[in-house]
Amino acid sequence: MSKLFTPVTFGPLTLRNRTIRSAAFESMCPGNAPSQMLLDYHRSVAAGGVGMTTVAYAAVTQSGLSFDRQLWMRPEIIPGLKKLTDAVHAEGAAAAIQLGHCGNMSHKSICGVTPVGASSGFNLYSPTFVRGLKKEELPEMARAYGHAVNLAREAGFDAVEIHAGHGYLISQFLSLYTNRRKDCFGGSLENRMRFMDMVMEEVMRAAGNDMAVLVKTNMRDGFKGGMEINETMQVAKRLEQSGAHALVLSGGFVSKAPMYVMRGQMPIHSMTHYMNCWWLKYGVRMVGKWMIPTVPFKEAYFLEDALKFRAEIKMPLVYVGGLVSREKIDEVLNDGFEAVQMARALLNEPGFVNRMREEEKAIC
């Protein structure tokens, strides 16, 4: 019997099946607020049979915005988000929202301030200078995550997913590549986990006993000099100790190894279409394929690493990364993962989960 269409529980939340729409960025939030398009898309995924759909990457503060059409969690947008969660619930699915801060992956024209990160420097991705967060600023930043969890509850979400991977702010503190601090938040891994610990304390306090908390974390940063499994395993174990209800196992740095996250060929033309800086736009078009090499796609490309975490971590684990067929999803669930996340399959076909009910060989 397939586990795919059996219920699964994360903390206080039980899903109708073991599929989750992963938090792939939608770019459907003009003015950093939810739109009818965002509601319609997530309603279509819910109607397509998914157990839970995740609204992507909502910034916990204005300084955490990395895109023009990205959500920014604040009281004004709660009524619009409530309409979205009501629509998702009406289709029988649960609703989650990913909460994060982009750290140095922004520009003043987008986030309203000089971008902040674990350390000062220059970010070619934007391009812009970046200011390292002061030690005394960190408690307030951590509290912003907790405040965002409370707003998510008010908006009707059943779960939050804290983004601690992919080279965003928490990940920037964890990785020696971006953390060059000389205080108690830099140096040893124990020190580099301090900001994450602060965030999780605020998040779990705010979540209480009625919201599920998932955390997306890296298994590898995906480049030489980034975090490897010997360190990320310790991060996962610390998150288990924090009381999180599940980990979503991912990898890659969007500023350094973006195709390690997604695999395949970098969509250079589409990416540069949205760049405002003319010299960066044409520079990337000319040399982008050498700057950002293709990483070949294969189904379940993170599975080998994820199995190492499954062997050592007792808490629920969610597999994400290149799932496009029911056969491979069944294999992953039989390997001991509690649930699976999908992005590209549900972007291509919002009703893919319903089709998998009918077709054992379904592939998207």
Side-chain angles (χ1 to χ4, degrees):
M1 292 291 292
S2 173
K3 296 179 181 178
L4 179 56
F5 293 102
T6 61
V8 62
T9 298
F10 300 116
L13 176 63
T14 298
L15 307 183
R16 62 182 175 181
N17 63 52
R18 295 172 184 261
T19 61
I20 302 172
R21 190 270 186 190
S22 68
F25 181 55
E26 305 97 345
S27 190
M28 297 177 183
C29 300
N32 309 121
S35 64
Q36 185 64 41
M37 183 183 293
L38 186 74
L39 184 156
D40 290 341
Y41 172 69
H42 283 280
R43 177 166 50 194
S44 72
V45 174
V50 78
M52 181 163 71
T53 186
T54 311
V55 176
Y57 195 16
V60 298
T61 66
Q62 185 177 10
S63 67
L65 289 167
S66 52
F67 304 105
D68 288 327
R69 295 165 59 87
Q70 178 185 355
L71 279 176
W72 163 27
M73 291 298 280
R74 59 202 194 278
E76 306 91 279
I77 72 167
I78 299 309
L81 288 176
K82 186 64 167 62
K83 291 179 182 178
L84 185 154
T85 58
D86 285 346
V88 168
H89 291 150
E91 299 293 348
I97 186 166
Q98 186 184 73
L99 302 175
H101 188 293
C102 68
N104 64 21
M105 298 291 294
S106 189
H107 191 277
K108 187 176 182 178
S109 62
I110 295 172
C111 68
V113 296
T114 298
V116 296
S119 300
S120 299
F122 187 82
N123 178 20
L124 184 61
Y125 181 88
S126 292
T128 186
F129 287 100
V130 178
R131 178 179 69 81
L133 283 162
K134 299 175 183 177
K135 183 179 178 180
E136 56 268 26
E137 293 178 295
L138 297 181
E140 181 180 359
M141 183 65 77
R143 285 192 292 271
Y145 283 81
H147 180 58
V149 172
N150 285 325
L151 290 174
R153 175 189 289 104
E154 188 178 343
F157 286 98
D158 307 287
V160 294
E161 179 181 290
I162 304 302
H163 204 331
H166 294 179
Y168 295 121
L169 185 60
I170 296 175
S171 183
Q172 287 167 26
F173 272 87
L174 292 172
S175 180
L176 281 172
Y177 173 70
T178 43
N179 186 338
R180 299 177 297 279
R181 300 176 72 99
K182 303 301 182 184
D183 61 10
C184 64
F185 289 89
S188 69
L189 179 60
E190 186 67 26
N191 283 355
R192 286 180 275 133
M193 289 193 290
R194 287 178 187 270
F195 177 64
M196 180 185 76
D197 291 342
M198 294 170 64
V199 169
M200 290 307 299
E201 183 177 355
E202 296 290 342
V203 165
M204 298 311 298
R205 181 185 299 118
N209 57 12
D210 64 341
M211 287 199 75
V213 176
L214 293 78
V215 182
K216 178 165 281 185
T217 185
N218 277 7
M219 296 181 291
R220 300 180 195 267
D221 286 348
F223 58 92
K224 186 177 181 180
M227 294 185 80
E228 299 291 347
I229 286 181
N230 63 317
E231 285 194 326
T232 59
M233 186 72 74
Q234 295 179 63
V235 171
K237 291 178 178 179
R238 181 64 65 88
L239 289 166
E240 184 172 30
Q241 293 168 9
S242 76
H245 300 122
L247 298 184
V248 181
L249 301 173
S250 188
F253 243 62
V254 291
S255 62
K256 180 72 173 175
M259 299 318 296
Y260 190 85
V261 183
M262 297 173 286
R263 306 301 167 98
Q265 188 173 0
M266 187 70 179
I268 296 291
H269 186 79
S270 297
M271 181 181 72
T272 55
H273 175 77
Y274 296 99
M275 289 181 174
N276 295 321
C277 178
W278 69 268
W279 61 266
L280 185 64
K281 178 195 291 276
Y282 291 103
V284 171
R285 285 186 179 178
M286 291 176 62
V287 300
K289 64 181 178 180
W290 292 285
M291 291 172 57
I292 310 170
T294 295
V295 181
F297 174 85
K298 70 173 183 177
E299 194 170 10
Y301 49 78
F302 281 144
L303 185 56
E304 183 178 348
D305 281 346
L307 286 170
K308 297 173 184 177
F309 284 75
R310 179 70 288 171
E312 292 200 33
I313 305 295
K314 295 182 175 62
M315 70 185 297
L317 298 179
V318 178
Y319 177 82
V320 66
L323 291 178
V324 294
S325 73
R326 176 171 167 178
E327 281 188 313
K328 185 60 73 170
I329 289 171
D330 282 335
E331 177 187 328
V332 167
L333 293 174
N334 289 335
D335 281 335
F337 296 91
E338 278 72 20
V340 297
Q341 282 194 356
M342 293 176 284
R344 73 187 77 211
L346 296 176
L347 287 169
N348 289 332
E349 184 182 345
F352 182 54
V353 176
N354 279 341
R355 185 157 68 86
M356 286 195 292
R357 281 187 179 274
E358 308 298 327
E359 302 175 22
E360 290 187 7
K361 302 293 185 180
I363 188 168
C364 191

Short mmCIF file of all heavy atoms in Angstrom, two decimals, residues 92-126:
data_model
loop_
_atom_site.label_atom_id
_atom_site.label_comp_id
_atom_site.label_asym_id
_atom_site.label_seq_id
_atom_site.Cartn_x
_atom_site.Cartn_y
_atom_site.Cartn_z
N GLY A 92 -10.04 21.82 1.04
CA GLY A 92 -9.64 20.67 1.84
C GLY A 92 -8.16 20.57 2.14
O GLY A 92 -7.72 19.59 2.75
N ALA A 93 -7.36 21.58 1.75
CA ALA A 93 -5.92 21.55 2.00
C ALA A 93 -5.57 22.46 3.16
O ALA A 93 -6.34 23.34 3.55
CB ALA A 93 -5.15 21.98 0.75
N ALA A 94 -4.39 22.26 3.72
CA ALA A 94 -3.85 23.16 4.73
C ALA A 94 -3.04 24.25 4.03
O ALA A 94 -2.62 24.09 2.88
CB ALA A 94 -2.98 22.40 5.73
N ALA A 95 -2.80 25.35 4.76
CA ALA A 95 -2.07 26.48 4.20
C ALA A 95 -0.88 26.82 5.09
O ALA A 95 -1.02 26.96 6.30
CB ALA A 95 -2.98 27.70 4.08
N ALA A 96 0.29 26.95 4.47
CA ALA A 96 1.51 27.36 5.17
C ALA A 96 2.06 28.60 4.49
O ALA A 96 1.72 28.91 3.35
CB ALA A 96 2.55 26.25 5.14
N ILE A 97 2.92 29.31 5.21
CA ILE A 97 3.61 30.46 4.62
C ILE A 97 5.06 30.40 5.04
O ILE A 97 5.38 30.13 6.20
CB ILE A 97 2.96 31.79 5.02
CG1 ILE A 97 3.60 32.97 4.28
CG2 ILE A 97 2.98 32.01 6.54
CD1 ILE A 97 2.81 34.26 4.36
N GLN A 98 5.95 30.62 4.07
CA GLN A 98 7.38 30.63 4.36
C GLN A 98 7.79 32.03 4.82
O GLN A 98 7.44 33.02 4.19
CB GLN A 98 8.18 30.25 3.11
CG GLN A 98 9.67 30.09 3.37
CD GLN A 98 10.43 29.80 2.09
OE1 GLN A 98 10.61 30.68 1.26
NE2 GLN A 98 10.88 28.56 1.94
N LEU A 99 8.51 32.08 5.94
CA LEU A 99 8.94 33.35 6.52
C LEU A 99 10.46 33.43 6.48
O LEU A 99 11.15 32.46 6.85
CB LEU A 99 8.46 33.47 7.96
CG LEU A 99 6.95 33.36 8.18
CD1 LEU A 99 6.63 33.38 9.67
CD2 LEU A 99 6.21 34.49 7.46
N GLY A 100 10.98 34.57 6.06
CA GLY A 100 12.42 34.69 6.00
C GLY A 100 12.87 36.14 5.86
O GLY A 100 12.06 37.08 5.86
N HIS A 101 14.16 36.30 5.76
CA HIS A 101 14.80 37.60 5.54
C HIS A 101 15.94 37.34 4.58
O HIS A 101 16.74 36.42 4.78
CB HIS A 101 15.32 38.17 6.86
CG HIS A 101 15.81 39.57 6.78
ND1 HIS A 101 16.94 39.93 6.06
CD2 HIS A 101 15.32 40.73 7.32
CE1 HIS A 101 17.13 41.24 6.17
NE2 HIS A 101 16.17 41.75 6.92
N CYS A 102 16.03 38.16 3.52
CA CYS A 102 17.01 37.87 2.47
C CYS A 102 18.43 38.24 2.86
O CYS A 102 19.38 37.85 2.18
CB CYS A 102 16.63 38.59 1.19
SG CYS A 102 16.78 40.39 1.31
N GLY A 103 18.60 39.01 3.97
CA GLY A 103 19.94 39.42 4.32
C GLY A 103 20.54 40.31 3.26
O GLY A 103 19.91 41.29 2.82
N ASN A 104 21.73 39.97 2.79
CA ASN A 104 22.44 40.85 1.84
C ASN A 104 21.93 40.74 0.40
O ASN A 104 22.41 41.44 -0.49
CB ASN A 104 23.95 40.59 1.87
CG ASN A 104 24.32 39.18 1.42
OD1 ASN A 104 23.57 38.50 0.73
ND2 ASN A 104 25.51 38.74 1.83
N MET A 105 20.94 39.89 0.15
CA MET A 105 20.45 39.64 -1.21
C MET A 105 19.38 40.66 -1.60
O MET A 105 18.25 40.29 -1.96
CB MET A 105 19.90 38.23 -1.30
CG MET A 105 20.93 37.15 -1.04
SD MET A 105 22.14 37.07 -2.37
CE MET A 105 21.09 36.51 -3.70
N SER A 106 19.70 41.94 -1.53
CA SER A 106 18.72 42.97 -1.86
C SER A 106 19.42 44.23 -2.32
O SER A 106 20.64 44.24 -2.54
CB SER A 106 17.83 43.26 -0.64
OG SER A 106 16.75 44.09 -1.01
N HIS A 107 18.64 45.30 -2.47
CA HIS A 107 19.16 46.60 -2.87
C HIS A 107 18.29 47.65 -2.19
O HIS A 107 17.10 47.43 -1.95
CB HIS A 107 19.12 46.76 -4.39
CG HIS A 107 19.88 47.94 -4.89
ND1 HIS A 107 19.35 49.22 -4.92
CD2 HIS A 107 21.15 48.05 -5.38
CE1 HIS A 107 20.24 50.06 -5.41
NE2 HIS A 107 21.34 49.38 -5.70
N LYS A 108 18.87 48.81 -1.89
CA LYS A 108 18.13 49.88 -1.22
C LYS A 108 16.87 50.26 -1.98
O LYS A 108 15.85 50.61 -1.38
CB LYS A 108 19.03 51.09 -1.02
CG LYS A 108 18.40 52.19 -0.18
CD LYS A 108 19.37 53.33 0.07
CE LYS A 108 18.75 54.41 0.97
NZ LYS A 108 19.70 55.51 1.25
N SER A 109 16.90 50.18 -3.29
CA SER A 109 15.73 50.53 -4.10
C SER A 109 14.57 49.59 -3.87
O SER A 109 13.42 49.93 -4.16
CB SER A 109 16.11 50.53 -5.59
OG SER A 109 16.52 49.24 -6.01
N ILE A 110 14.85 48.39 -3.34
CA ILE A 110 13.81 47.40 -3.08
C ILE A 110 13.42 47.37 -1.61
O ILE A 110 12.24 47.39 -1.25
CB ILE A 110 14.26 46.00 -3.54
CG1 ILE A 110 14.43 45.97 -5.06
CG2 ILE A 110 13.27 44.92 -3.08
CD1 ILE A 110 15.05 44.70 -5.59
N CYS A 111 14.43 47.32 -0.73
CA CYS A 111 14.15 47.11 0.69
C CYS A 111 14.16 48.40 1.51
O CYS A 111 13.86 48.37 2.71
CB CYS A 111 15.13 46.11 1.29
SG CYS A 111 16.84 46.70 1.39
N GLY A 112 14.49 49.53 0.89
CA GLY A 112 14.39 50.81 1.56
C GLY A 112 15.57 51.23 2.41
O GLY A 112 15.61 52.36 2.90
N VAL A 113 16.54 50.34 2.60
CA VAL A 113 17.72 50.65 3.41
C VAL A 113 18.93 49.99 2.75
O VAL A 113 18.79 49.17 1.85
CB VAL A 113 17.58 50.12 4.85
CG1 VAL A 113 16.44 50.83 5.58
CG2 VAL A 113 17.38 48.61 4.86
N THR A 114 20.12 50.35 3.24
CA THR A 114 21.30 49.59 2.83
C THR A 114 21.11 48.15 3.29
O THR A 114 20.82 47.90 4.46
CB THR A 114 22.57 50.17 3.47
OG1 THR A 114 22.74 51.51 3.03
CG2 THR A 114 23.80 49.34 3.10
N PRO A 115 21.23 47.17 2.39
CA PRO A 115 21.01 45.78 2.79
C PRO A 115 21.90 45.38 3.95
O PRO A 115 23.04 45.85 4.09
CB PRO A 115 21.37 45.00 1.52
CG PRO A 115 21.09 45.95 0.41
CD PRO A 115 21.50 47.29 0.95
N VAL A 116 21.36 44.52 4.80
CA VAL A 116 22.09 44.06 5.98
C VAL A 116 22.33 42.55 5.87
O VAL A 116 21.58 41.84 5.21
CB VAL A 116 21.32 44.37 7.28
CG1 VAL A 116 21.21 45.87 7.47
CG2 VAL A 116 19.94 43.72 7.27
N GLY A 117 23.38 42.09 6.52
CA GLY A 117 23.69 40.68 6.51
C GLY A 117 24.50 40.31 7.73
O GLY A 117 24.65 41.10 8.67
N ALA A 118 25.06 39.11 7.72
CA ALA A 118 25.89 38.68 8.83
C ALA A 118 27.16 39.52 8.91
O ALA A 118 27.66 39.81 10.00
CB ALA A 118 26.25 37.20 8.68
N SER A 119 27.68 39.92 7.74
CA SER A 119 28.93 40.70 7.69
C SER A 119 28.82 41.79 6.64
O SER A 119 28.01 41.69 5.71
CB SER A 119 30.12 39.79 7.38
OG SER A 119 30.27 38.78 8.34
N SER A 120 29.64 42.82 6.77
CA SER A 120 29.69 43.89 5.78
C SER A 120 30.44 43.41 4.54
O SER A 120 31.22 42.45 4.59
CB SER A 120 30.38 45.12 6.36
OG SER A 120 29.68 45.62 7.48
N GLY A 121 30.20 44.10 3.42
CA GLY A 121 30.89 43.74 2.20
C GLY A 121 30.18 44.30 0.99
O GLY A 121 29.41 45.26 1.09
N PHE A 122 30.45 43.70 -0.17
CA PHE A 122 29.82 44.12 -1.42
C PHE A 122 29.16 42.92 -2.05
O PHE A 122 29.76 41.85 -2.16
CB PHE A 122 30.86 44.70 -2.39
CG PHE A 122 30.25 45.29 -3.64
CD1 PHE A 122 29.73 46.57 -3.63
CD2 PHE A 122 30.19 44.54 -4.81
CE1 PHE A 122 29.16 47.12 -4.78
CE2 PHE A 122 29.62 45.08 -5.96
CZ PHE A 122 29.11 46.38 -5.94
N ASN A 123 27.91 43.07 -2.44
CA ASN A 123 27.16 41.98 -3.06
C ASN A 123 27.01 42.27 -4.55
O ASN A 123 26.25 43.15 -4.94
CB ASN A 123 25.79 41.84 -2.39
CG ASN A 123 24.96 40.74 -3.04
OD1 ASN A 123 25.50 39.87 -3.71
ND2 ASN A 123 23.66 40.80 -2.85
N LEU A 124 27.72 41.50 -5.37
CA LEU A 124 27.66 41.68 -6.81
C LEU A 124 26.30 41.31 -7.37
O LEU A 124 25.88 41.80 -8.41
CB LEU A 124 28.75 40.82 -7.48
CG LEU A 124 28.90 40.95 -9.00
CD1 LEU A 124 29.28 42.38 -9.37
CD2 LEU A 124 29.95 39.97 -9.52
N TYR A 125 25.56 40.46 -6.66
CA TYR A 125 24.26 39.99 -7.13
C TYR A 125 23.31 41.16 -7.34
O TYR A 125 22.50 41.14 -8.25
CB TYR A 125 23.69 39.01 -6.09
CG TYR A 125 22.35 38.39 -6.42
CD1 TYR A 125 22.27 37.22 -7.16
CD2 TYR A 125 21.17 38.97 -5.98
CE1 TYR A 125 21.05 36.65 -7.44
CE2 TYR A 125 19.94 38.41 -6.25
CZ TYR A 125 19.88 37.24 -6.99
OH TYR A 125 18.66 36.68 -7.25
N SER A 126 23.40 42.21 -6.48
CA SER A 126 22.41 43.29 -6.55
C SER A 126 22.69 44.37 -7.60
O SER A 126 21.76 44.72 -8.31
CB SER A 126 22.22 43.92 -5.16
OG SER A 126 21.61 42.95 -4.34
#
